[in-house]
Amino acid sequence: MRRRGVADLKAGVAERDITPPIGLPMWGYAARKEPAQGVLDPLYARVLVLESGLRRLALISLDLGRTFGATSLAQLRGALRTRCGINYLIVAATHTHSGPVIQEEYTGGTPPWEQTALEQIVQATDTAVKGLQPVRLGIGYGRAFIGHNRLRIEPDGTVIWFSSNPQRIPTAPVDPTVTVLRLDTYDGEPLAILAHHACHPVVLDAVNLNYSADFPGVTVRMVREAFDNKPICFFLQGATGDINPYYAHLPPLENEIKLRDWTGLRLGEEVIRVASGVRTEIWEDTTIGCTEEVLRFRPRYRPSAWRAAIKSFGEEFARWFNPRMEQESRVPLTTVLIGKRLALMTIPGEPFVAFQQSWRECCPVRDSLLLGYANGYFGYFPTIRAAAYGGYGASGPTAWIEVGAGERLVNQATVRVYEMLGQLQRRP
């Protein structure tokens, strides 16, 4: 029985194929010089809209390497607010390295494929809103061992790049946690299954010239088929800045495709196992709390050191990575609390896995997810310890925000959840 006067938590879902035309430059590897020549599997935008009372939250998952730039995100936010009544927005990329190049800014204006994708996302969100219905929720946990920490600290304190690990040598830190959120209609039909895990989708490397969602695409298809294609399945990328799949970068392409499928199937099996055992229920508290704010950070490098670092990476790096050297970076943070039971926080870039672990430990509610590659892109967010040791993503021009930024974001999100729970006042 529901309490009198308590609004139902409603949900609606939709998806659209946003695969761009072939011939575009591909994102993710400076070594890849040629444009896309085909499609291994389509790229999707998947939309979940949650509504409680007068508040609507849209969570959009993109099979792309990163989210859109600030101009495109502002355009999307405005369109969703006007057309779909969306109050709060999270746009999160799965981080496939087999998608099109996305830049923060374009000298010639937004490319046609991106504009089309934005329009498709608005249409999908409109469909999700029109399909809003009361839902039952359940959360379950599992473990999947498909990846390793790719920065290995040697006995002498040096750090080496540990790209692939076919022997599955134990490394640390790694977070094998698989979190599954299941949403059912009131009559028990599965509407959406959200799977959260932290692992770089880089089984396919620079030899691949075809669009692909990499292993998350395999997982999503597998889970959906296991539930008679009734729910839409979402892959939510976690804090994977220093986590590679075991079988990363092992050409030729035919071998990489087999290993992509192995990785996606291992994760998919665990998601199916957990989702099948989740007991959904009508949550007594259905409130949606959300804060959207901007934190300001200084650049990590002096201008001369920055220019030298960029030059060392070459023109291709600058083309697809699109780094920015600014006096101050305005980094967005979105913190969500649903039913005082489920907390989400975003980091707009590539956070190291320790942040996911610390957020889970610090957050005052049991179920808490860190979403990487969400609502923007500011490169890598290494921990202070990782920055001290160095290595790819921990130092160099891929990590251009000041050291300690990730810790501040996690701390700020933790404060916001305590405030939404009523346990802290912003200004007593």
Coordinates of all heavy atoms in Angstrom, one line a residue, residues 108-172:
G108 N 34.3 24.9 -37.7 CA 33.3 25.0 -38.8 C 31.9 24.8 -38.4 O 31.0 24.5 -39.2
G109 N 31.6 24.8 -37.1 CA 30.3 24.6 -36.6 C 30.1 23.1 -36.3 O 30.9 22.2 -36.6
T110 N 29.0 22.8 -35.6 CA 28.6 21.4 -35.2 C 28.5 20.6 -36.5 O 27.8 20.9 -37.4 CB 27.3 21.4 -34.4 OG1 27.4 22.2 -33.3 CG2 27.0 19.9 -33.9
P111 N 29.2 19.4 -36.5 CA 29.1 18.6 -37.7 C 27.7 18.0 -37.9 O 27.0 17.8 -36.9 CB 30.2 17.5 -37.5 CG 30.4 17.5 -36.0 CD 30.2 18.9 -35.5
P112 N 27.3 17.7 -39.1 CA 25.9 17.2 -39.3 C 25.6 16.0 -38.6 O 24.4 15.9 -38.1 CB 25.9 17.0 -40.9 CG 26.9 17.9 -41.4 CD 28.0 18.0 -40.4
W113 N 26.5 15.0 -38.4 CA 26.1 13.8 -37.7 C 25.8 14.1 -36.3 O 24.9 13.4 -35.7 CB 27.3 12.8 -37.8 CG 28.4 13.0 -36.8 CD1 29.6 13.6 -37.0 CD2 28.4 12.5 -35.4 NE1 30.3 13.6 -35.8 CE2 29.6 12.9 -34.9 CE3 27.5 11.8 -34.7 CZ2 29.9 12.7 -33.5 CZ3 27.8 11.5 -33.3 CH2 29.0 12.0 -32.8
E114 N 26.6 15.0 -35.7 CA 26.3 15.3 -34.2 C 25.0 16.0 -34.1 O 24.2 15.8 -33.1 CB 27.5 16.2 -33.7 CG 27.4 16.4 -32.2 CD 28.6 17.1 -31.6 OE1 29.7 16.6 -31.9 OE2 28.5 18.0 -30.8
Q115 N 24.7 16.9 -35.0 CA 23.4 17.6 -34.9 C 22.3 16.7 -35.1 O 21.2 16.7 -34.4 CB 23.3 18.7 -36.0 CG 22.1 19.6 -35.9 CD 22.1 20.4 -34.6 OE1 23.1 21.0 -34.1 NE2 21.0 20.4 -33.9
T116 N 22.4 15.7 -36.0 CA 21.4 14.7 -36.1 C 21.2 13.8 -34.9 O 20.1 13.5 -34.5 CB 21.8 13.8 -37.3 OG1 21.8 14.5 -38.5 CG2 20.7 12.6 -37.5
A117 N 22.4 13.5 -34.2 CA 22.3 12.7 -33.0 C 21.6 13.5 -31.9 O 20.8 12.9 -31.2 CB 23.7 12.3 -32.6
L118 N 21.9 14.8 -31.8 CA 21.2 15.6 -30.8 C 19.7 15.6 -31.0 O 18.9 15.5 -30.1 CB 21.7 17.0 -30.8 CG 23.2 17.2 -30.4 CD1 23.7 18.6 -30.7 CD2 23.3 16.9 -28.9
E119 N 19.3 15.7 -32.3 CA 17.8 15.7 -32.6 C 17.2 14.3 -32.3 O 16.1 14.2 -31.8 CB 17.6 16.0 -34.0 CG 18.0 17.5 -34.4 CD 18.1 17.8 -35.9 OE1 17.9 16.8 -36.7 OE2 18.5 18.9 -36.2
Q120 N 18.0 13.3 -32.5 CA 17.5 11.9 -32.2 C 17.3 11.7 -30.7 O 16.4 11.1 -30.3 CB 18.5 10.9 -32.8 CG 18.5 10.8 -34.3 CD 17.3 9.9 -34.8 OE1 16.2 10.2 -34.6 NE2 17.7 8.8 -35.4
I121 N 18.2 12.3 -30.0 CA 18.1 12.2 -28.5 C 16.9 12.9 -28.0 O 16.2 12.4 -27.1 CB 19.4 12.7 -27.9 CG1 20.6 11.8 -28.2 CG2 19.3 12.8 -26.3 CD1 22.0 12.4 -27.8
V122 N 16.6 14.1 -28.5 CA 15.4 14.8 -28.1 C 14.2 14.0 -28.4 O 13.2 13.9 -27.6 CB 15.4 16.2 -28.8 CG1 14.1 16.9 -28.5 CG2 16.5 17.0 -28.3
Q123 N 14.1 13.4 -29.6 CA 13.0 12.6 -30.0 C 12.8 11.4 -29.1 O 11.7 11.0 -28.7 CB 13.2 12.1 -31.5 CG 13.1 13.2 -32.5 CD 13.4 12.7 -33.9 OE1 13.4 11.5 -34.2 NE2 13.7 13.7 -34.8
A124 N 14.0 10.7 -28.8 CA 13.9 9.6 -27.9 C 13.4 10.0 -26.5 O 12.6 9.3 -25.8 CB 15.3 8.9 -27.8
T125 N 13.9 11.1 -26.0 CA 13.4 11.6 -24.7 C 11.9 11.9 -24.7 O 11.2 11.6 -23.7 CB 14.2 12.8 -24.3 OG1 15.6 12.6 -24.3 CG2 13.9 13.3 -22.9
D126 N 11.5 12.5 -25.8 CA 10.0 12.8 -25.9 C 9.2 11.5 -25.9 O 8.2 11.4 -25.2 CB 9.8 13.5 -27.2 CG 8.3 14.0 -27.4 OD1 7.8 14.6 -26.4 OD2 7.7 13.6 -28.4
T127 N 9.7 10.4 -26.5 CA 9.1 9.1 -26.5 C 9.1 8.6 -25.1 O 8.1 8.0 -24.6 CB 9.8 8.2 -27.4 OG1 9.7 8.6 -28.8 CG2 9.2 6.8 -27.4
A128 N 10.2 8.7 -24.4 CA 10.3 8.2 -23.0 C 9.3 8.9 -22.1 O 8.6 8.3 -21.3 CB 11.7 8.3 -22.5
V129 N 9.2 10.2 -22.3 CA 8.2 11.0 -21.4 C 6.8 10.6 -21.7 O 6.0 10.4 -20.8 CB 8.4 12.5 -21.7 CG1 7.3 13.3 -21.1 CG2 9.7 13.0 -21.1
K130 N 6.5 10.4 -23.0 CA 5.1 9.9 -23.3 C 4.8 8.5 -22.8 O 3.6 8.2 -22.6 CB 4.9 10.0 -24.8 CG 4.9 11.4 -25.4 CD 4.8 11.4 -26.9 CE 4.8 12.8 -27.4 NZ 4.8 12.9 -28.9
G131 N 5.8 7.8 -22.5 CA 5.6 6.4 -22.0 C 5.8 6.3 -20.5 O 5.9 5.2 -20.0
L132 N 5.8 7.4 -19.8 CA 6.0 7.4 -18.3 C 4.9 6.5 -17.7 O 3.7 6.7 -18.0 CB 6.0 8.8 -17.8 CG 7.3 9.6 -18.0 CD1 7.1 11.1 -17.6 CD2 8.5 9.0 -17.1
Q133 N 5.3 5.7 -16.8 CA 4.4 4.8 -16.0 C 5.0 4.5 -14.7 O 6.2 4.5 -14.5 CB 4.1 3.6 -16.8 CG 5.3 2.7 -17.1 CD 4.9 1.5 -17.9 OE1 4.0 0.7 -17.5 NE2 5.5 1.3 -19.1
P134 N 4.1 4.2 -13.7 CA 4.7 3.9 -12.4 C 5.5 2.6 -12.4 O 5.2 1.7 -13.2 CB 3.4 3.6 -11.5 CG 2.3 4.4 -12.2 CD 2.7 4.3 -13.7
V135 N 6.6 2.6 -11.6 CA 7.5 1.5 -11.7 C 7.9 1.0 -10.3 O 7.7 1.7 -9.3 CB 8.8 1.9 -12.4 CG1 8.6 2.1 -13.9 CG2 9.5 3.1 -11.8
R136 N 8.3 -0.3 -10.3 CA 8.9 -0.9 -9.1 C 10.5 -0.9 -9.4 O 10.9 -1.1 -10.5 CB 8.4 -2.3 -9.0 CG 6.9 -2.4 -8.9 CD 6.4 -3.8 -9.2 NE 7.0 -4.8 -8.2 CZ 6.3 -5.1 -7.1 NH1 5.1 -4.6 -6.8 NH2 6.9 -6.0 -6.2
L137 N 11.2 -0.8 -8.3 CA 12.7 -0.7 -8.4 C 13.3 -1.8 -7.6 O 12.8 -2.1 -6.5 CB 13.2 0.7 -8.0 CG 13.3 1.8 -9.1 CD1 11.9 2.2 -9.4 CD2 14.1 2.9 -8.6
G138 N 14.5 -2.2 -8.0 CA 15.3 -3.1 -7.3 C 16.8 -3.0 -7.6 O 17.1 -2.7 -8.8
I139 N 17.7 -3.2 -6.7 CA 19.1 -3.1 -6.9 C 19.8 -4.3 -6.5 O 19.5 -4.9 -5.4 CB 19.7 -1.8 -6.2 CG1 19.0 -0.6 -6.7 CG2 21.2 -1.7 -6.4 CD1 19.3 0.7 -5.9
G140 N 20.7 -4.8 -7.3 CA 21.5 -6.0 -6.9 C 23.0 -5.8 -7.3 O 23.3 -4.9 -8.0
Y141 N 23.8 -6.7 -6.7 CA 25.2 -6.6 -6.9 C 25.9 -7.9 -7.3 O 25.4 -9.0 -6.9 CB 25.9 -6.1 -5.6 CG 25.6 -4.7 -5.3 CD1 24.4 -4.4 -4.5 CD2 26.3 -3.6 -5.7 CE1 24.1 -3.1 -4.2 CE2 26.0 -2.3 -5.4 CZ 24.9 -2.0 -4.7 OH 24.6 -0.7 -4.4
G142 N 26.9 -7.8 -8.1 CA 27.6 -9.0 -8.5 C 29.1 -8.6 -8.7 O 29.5 -7.5 -8.3
R143 N 29.9 -9.5 -9.2 CA 31.3 -9.3 -9.5 C 31.7 -9.9 -10.8 O 31.3 -11.0 -11.1 CB 32.1 -9.9 -8.3 CG 32.0 -9.3 -7.0 CD 32.4 -10.2 -5.9 NE 33.9 -10.4 -5.9 CZ 34.8 -9.6 -5.3 NH1 34.4 -8.5 -4.7 NH2 36.1 -9.9 -5.4
A144 N 32.4 -9.1 -11.6 CA 32.9 -9.6 -12.8 C 34.4 -9.2 -12.9 O 34.8 -8.1 -12.7 CB 32.2 -8.9 -14.0
F145 N 35.2 -10.2 -13.3 CA 36.7 -10.0 -13.4 C 37.0 -10.0 -14.9 O 37.2 -11.1 -15.5 CB 37.4 -11.1 -12.7 CG 37.2 -11.0 -11.2 CD1 36.2 -11.7 -10.6 CD2 38.0 -10.2 -10.4 CE1 36.0 -11.6 -9.2 CE2 37.8 -10.1 -9.0 CZ 36.8 -10.8 -8.4
I146 N 37.0 -8.8 -15.5 CA 37.3 -8.7 -16.9 C 38.4 -7.7 -17.2 O 38.8 -7.6 -18.4 CB 36.0 -8.3 -17.7 CG1 35.5 -6.9 -17.3 CG2 34.9 -9.3 -17.6 CD1 34.4 -6.3 -18.1
G147 N 38.9 -7.1 -16.2 CA 39.9 -6.0 -16.4 C 40.9 -6.0 -15.3 O 40.9 -6.6 -14.3
H148 N 41.9 -5.2 -15.5 CA 43.1 -5.0 -14.7 C 43.5 -3.5 -14.6 O 43.1 -2.7 -15.5 CB 44.3 -5.9 -15.1 CG 44.8 -5.4 -16.5 ND1 44.2 -5.7 -17.7 CD2 45.9 -4.6 -16.8 CE1 44.9 -5.2 -18.7 NE2 45.9 -4.5 -18.2
N149 N 44.3 -3.2 -13.6 CA 44.8 -1.8 -13.5 C 46.0 -1.7 -14.5 O 47.0 -2.5 -14.4 CB 45.3 -1.5 -12.1 CG 45.4 0.0 -11.9 OD1 46.3 0.6 -12.5 ND2 44.5 0.6 -11.1
R150 N 46.0 -0.8 -15.4 CA 46.9 -0.7 -16.5 C 48.2 0.1 -16.1 O 49.1 0.3 -17.0 CB 46.3 -0.2 -17.7 CG 45.8 1.3 -17.6 CD 44.9 1.6 -18.8 NE 44.7 3.1 -18.9 CZ 43.9 3.6 -19.9 NH1 43.4 2.9 -20.8 NH2 43.7 4.9 -19.9
L151 N 48.3 0.6 -14.9 CA 49.5 1.3 -14.5 C 50.1 0.5 -13.4 O 49.6 0.5 -12.2 CB 49.1 2.7 -13.9 CG 48.5 3.7 -15.0 CD1 48.2 5.0 -14.3 CD2 49.5 3.9 -16.1
R152 N 51.2 -0.2 -13.7 CA 51.8 -1.1 -12.8 C 53.1 -0.4 -12.2 O 53.9 0.1 -12.9 CB 52.3 -2.4 -13.5 CG 52.8 -3.4 -12.5 CD 52.8 -4.8 -13.1 NE 53.8 -4.9 -14.2 CZ 53.9 -6.0 -15.0 NH1 53.0 -7.0 -14.8 NH2 54.8 -6.0 -16.0
I153 N 53.1 -0.3 -10.8 CA 54.2 0.3 -10.1 C 55.3 -0.8 -9.8 O 55.0 -1.8 -9.2 CB 53.7 0.9 -8.8 CG1 52.7 2.0 -9.1 CG2 54.9 1.5 -8.0 CD1 52.1 2.5 -7.8
E154 N 56.5 -0.5 -10.4 CA 57.6 -1.5 -10.2 C 58.2 -1.3 -8.8 O 58.0 -0.3 -8.1 CB 58.6 -1.2 -11.3 CG 58.0 -1.5 -12.7 CD 57.7 -2.9 -13.0 OE1 58.6 -3.7 -13.4 OE2 56.6 -3.3 -12.7
P155 N 59.1 -2.3 -8.4 CA 59.7 -2.2 -7.1 C 60.5 -0.9 -6.9 O 60.7 -0.4 -5.8 CB 60.6 -3.4 -7.1 CG 59.9 -4.4 -7.9 CD 59.3 -3.6 -9.0
D156 N 61.1 -0.4 -8.0 CA 61.9 0.9 -7.9 C 61.1 2.1 -7.9 O 61.6 3.2 -7.9 CB 63.0 0.9 -9.0 CG 62.4 1.0 -10.4 OD1 61.1 1.0 -10.5 OD2 63.1 1.1 -11.4
G157 N 59.7 2.0 -7.9 CA 58.9 3.2 -7.9 C 58.5 3.7 -9.2 O 57.6 4.6 -9.3
T158 N 59.0 3.2 -10.3 CA 58.6 3.6 -11.7 C 57.3 3.0 -12.0 O 56.9 1.9 -11.5 CB 59.7 3.3 -12.7 OG1 59.9 1.8 -12.7 CG2 61.0 3.9 -12.4
V159 N 56.6 3.6 -13.0 CA 55.4 3.1 -13.4 C 55.5 2.7 -14.9 O 56.0 3.4 -15.7 CB 54.3 4.2 -13.3 CG1 52.9 3.7 -13.9 CG2 54.1 4.6 -11.8
I160 N 55.0 1.5 -15.2 CA 55.0 1.0 -16.6 C 53.5 0.9 -17.1 O 52.6 0.7 -16.3 CB 55.7 -0.3 -16.7 CG1 55.0 -1.4 -16.0 CG2 57.2 -0.2 -16.3 CD1 55.6 -2.8 -16.3
W161 N 53.4 1.0 -18.4 CA 52.1 0.9 -19.1 C 51.8 -0.6 -19.2 O 52.6 -1.4 -19.8 CB 52.2 1.6 -20.4 CG 51.0 1.4 -21.3 CD1 50.9 0.6 -22.4 CD2 49.7 2.0 -21.1 NE1 49.6 0.7 -23.0 CE2 48.9 1.6 -22.2 CE3 49.2 2.9 -20.2 CZ2 47.5 2.0 -22.3 CZ3 47.8 3.3 -20.3 CH2 47.0 2.8 -21.4
F162 N 50.7 -1.1 -18.7 CA 50.3 -2.5 -18.6 C 49.0 -2.6 -19.4 O 48.0 -2.8 -18.9 CB 50.2 -2.9 -17.2 CG 50.0 -4.4 -16.9 CD1 50.6 -5.3 -17.7 CD2 49.3 -4.8 -15.8 CE1 50.5 -6.7 -17.5 CE2 49.2 -6.2 -15.5 CZ 49.8 -7.1 -16.4
S163 N 49.2 -2.6 -20.7 CA 48.0 -2.5 -21.6 C 47.1 -3.7 -21.6 O 45.9 -3.7 -21.2 CB 48.4 -2.2 -23.0 OG 47.3 -2.1 -23.9
S164 N 47.7 -4.9 -22.0 CA 46.9 -6.1 -22.0 C 47.4 -7.0 -20.9 O 48.6 -7.0 -20.5 CB 46.9 -6.8 -23.3 OG 48.3 -7.1 -23.7
N165 N 46.6 -8.0 -20.5 CA 46.9 -8.9 -19.4 C 46.3 -10.2 -19.6 O 45.4 -10.7 -18.8 CB 46.4 -8.2 -18.0 CG 46.8 -9.1 -16.8 OD1 47.6 -10.0 -16.9 ND2 46.3 -8.7 -15.7
P166 N 46.6 -10.9 -20.7 CA 46.0 -12.2 -21.0 C 46.2 -13.2 -20.0 O 45.4 -14.2 -19.9 CB 46.6 -12.5 -22.4 CG 47.8 -11.8 -22.5 CD 47.6 -10.5 -21.7
Q167 N 47.2 -13.1 -19.2 CA 47.4 -14.1 -18.1 C 46.6 -13.8 -16.9 O 46.5 -14.6 -15.9 CB 48.9 -14.1 -17.7 CG 49.9 -14.6 -18.8 CD 50.2 -13.4 -19.7 OE1 50.0 -12.3 -19.4 NE2 50.7 -13.8 -20.9
R168 N 45.9 -12.7 -16.9 CA 45.0 -12.3 -15.8 C 45.7 -12.2 -14.5 O 45.3 -12.6 -13.4 CB 43.8 -13.2 -15.7 CG 43.0 -13.4 -17.0 CD 41.7 -14.2 -16.8 NE 41.3 -14.8 -18.0 CZ 40.3 -15.7 -18.1 NH1 39.6 -16.0 -17.0 NH2 40.0 -16.2 -19.2
I169 N 46.9 -11.5 -14.5 CA 47.7 -11.3 -13.3 C 47.0 -10.4 -12.4 O 46.5 -9.3 -12.9 CB 49.1 -10.8 -13.7 CG1 49.8 -11.7 -14.6 CG2 49.9 -10.4 -12.5 CD1 51.1 -11.1 -15.3
P170 N 46.8 -10.7 -11.1 CA 46.1 -9.8 -10.2 C 46.8 -8.4 -10.1 O 48.0 -8.3 -10.1 CB 46.2 -10.5 -8.9 CG 46.3 -11.9 -9.2 CD 47.2 -11.9 -10.5
T171 N 46.0 -7.3 -10.2 CA 46.5 -6.0 -10.1 C 45.7 -5.2 -9.1 O 44.6 -5.6 -8.7 CB 46.5 -5.3 -11.4 OG1 45.2 -5.2 -11.9 CG2 47.4 -6.0 -12.4
A172 N 46.1 -4.0 -8.7 CA 45.4 -3.2 -7.8 C 45.7 -1.7 -8.0 O 46.9 -1.4 -8.4 CB 45.7 -3.6 -6.3

